[in-house]
Amino acid sequence: MGDRKPYPSDVTDAQWALIGPFLRAWKAKRVSVSGHQGDYDLREIVNAILYQNRTGCQWAYLPHDLPPKSATYYYFALWRDDGTDQAIHDLLRCQAREKAGRTEDPTAVVLDSQSVRAANHVPAATTGKDAGKKVSGRKRALAVDTLGLVIAVVVTAASVTDNAIGIRLLDTVVERAPTVTRAWVDAGFKQDLALHGAVLGVDVEVVKRSDTRPGFVPVRKRWIVEQTYGTLMLHRRLVREYESRPESAVSRTLWASMVTIVRRLTGTSTPSWRHR
């Protein structure tokens, strides 16, 4: 970070102690023939990604005291395509579960999806309209464990049905956490998902919302995934769909989730606008 004034989104020393070893090991495997190590510190690259995630700024509007777009996007895309972001996220999640007194891999998950409006530059080929919610853009679907930690992310056009996206999400869950045997979903997911879950060895249970109590009522089992969505929405880059590729949208979600995980592991939080 050098002598620059830190941003609230910067990783702390304790948080970098968790993320840094993974990226240093990644970099050690990618030594160039010329021996060039790169012009930018990887910690600053991560700070730039997290700054953009938190503020929602465009690439060209990254502050001048952070690495430029060319370097930041290079690493963002590289880590997205080679699965480094997913690997780091999953390893940190295992640590967070162990700290909470749980096993590394969960046995139960909660599934849900949200429709997000797309910016005008997002390709029409990867977007659609959610007829039920009247939203044109993409759907972001999450599977979280009972601690609210993200297990799987799937991003599709908003026109894709919850049932179809749920099947893709459940396939990803089983791939990432084969120990899962139970999944809770809302009424938007139909019988096809339950049948697909049975084939995979996962018992899918629909938890319906109560119509007898007025106002907002947290739904048993399902409230945890809603809480996770609320936390992710603090990252303005996720409030609207800006990414040209769905894979980039998945990576953005993983980086936002990583912020939550390292805060749990280090007991830190980001100052809000209420702090003087």
Side-chain angles (χ1 to χ4, degrees):
M1 188 165 67
D3 297 328
R4 74 169 174 82
K5 186 177 179 179
Y7 295 103
S9 57
D10 286 350
V11 291
T12 65
D13 290 341
Q15 292 170 351
W16 180 245
L18 295 170
I19 299 174
F22 298 119
L23 291 180
R24 285 193 291 269
W26 171 86
K27 191 171 185 178
K29 297 178 181 179
R30 296 182 61 88
V31 179
S32 66
V33 177
S34 63
H36 183 61
Q37 294 298 311
D39 296 327
Y40 299 98
D41 179 43
L42 291 182
R43 180 171 178 174
E44 283 292 79
I45 296 293
V46 170
N47 284 336
I49 293 173
L50 298 185
Y51 178 93
Q52 191 183 38
N53 246 23
R54 185 75 182 191
T55 65
C57 74
Q58 295 167 280
W59 284 106
Y61 286 80
L62 283 172
H64 295 303
D65 52 3
L66 287 173
K69 167 190 173 180
S70 57
T72 304
Y73 182 77
Y74 170 80
Y75 283 102
F76 171 79
L78 196 59
W79 292 337
R80 174 199 66 200
D81 295 340
D82 70 5
T84 296
D85 53 4
Q86 181 77 61
I88 295 175
H89 175 274
D90 291 351
L91 289 169
L92 290 173
R93 186 193 68 231
C94 290
Q95 293 181 33
R97 286 185 56 83
E98 287 185 328
K99 183 179 180 181
R102 306 295 183 91
T103 58
E104 285 189 2
D105 294 318
T107 57
V109 292
V110 189
L111 276 57
D112 199 9
S113 67
Q114 67 174 173
S115 296
V116 184
R117 295 188 184 278
N120 57 8
H121 69 273
V122 178
T126 60
T127 61
K129 185 172 183 178
D130 183 337
K133 297 178 181 177
K134 305 297 189 292
V135 173
S136 296
R138 288 187 180 141
K139 273 187 182 178
R140 181 186 301 125
L142 296 181
V144 305
D145 64 10
T146 54
L147 298 176
L149 302 176
V150 174
I151 305 299
V153 186
V154 171
V155 175
T156 69
S159 54
V160 177
T161 65
D162 280 352
N163 213 41
I165 201 172
I167 289 173
R168 285 184 56 183
L169 193 58
L170 205 57
D171 286 337
T172 307
V173 166
V174 172
E175 178 185 349
R176 302 249 189 267
T179 54
V180 170
T181 58
R182 194 171 190 83
W184 292 292
V185 301
D186 64 21
F189 296 92
K190 306 303 181 183
Q191 186 64 22
D192 286 349
L193 179 61
L195 294 174
H196 188 71
V199 173
L200 298 175
V202 179
D203 181 19
V204 178
E205 178 185 346
V206 176
V207 181
K208 296 183 178 180
R209 189 181 302 275
S210 173
D211 295 327
T212 60
R213 297 174 60 184
F216 172 75
V217 181
V219 181
R220 185 181 64 89
K221 305 293 186 182
R222 275 174 38 202
W223 71 270
I224 190 66
V225 70
E226 302 291 349
Q227 183 187 59
T228 300
Y229 273 121
T231 303
L232 292 177
M233 288 301 101
L234 295 173
H235 299 263
R236 293 187 179 185
R237 189 79 181 190
L238 300 182
V239 175
R240 196 173 180 90
E241 186 56 76
Y242 295 106
E243 308 303 327
S244 297
R245 297 174 55 183
E247 296 86 351
S248 293
V250 170
S251 183
R252 290 287 181 189
T253 307
L254 292 175
W255 281 108
S257 177
M258 268 189 264
V259 170
T260 300
I261 294 173
V262 295
R263 285 177 189 161
R264 289 194 185 192
L265 289 171
T266 58
T268 56
S269 63
T270 296
S272 72
W273 59 269
R274 295 182 179 86
H275 289 80
R276 294 183 179 180

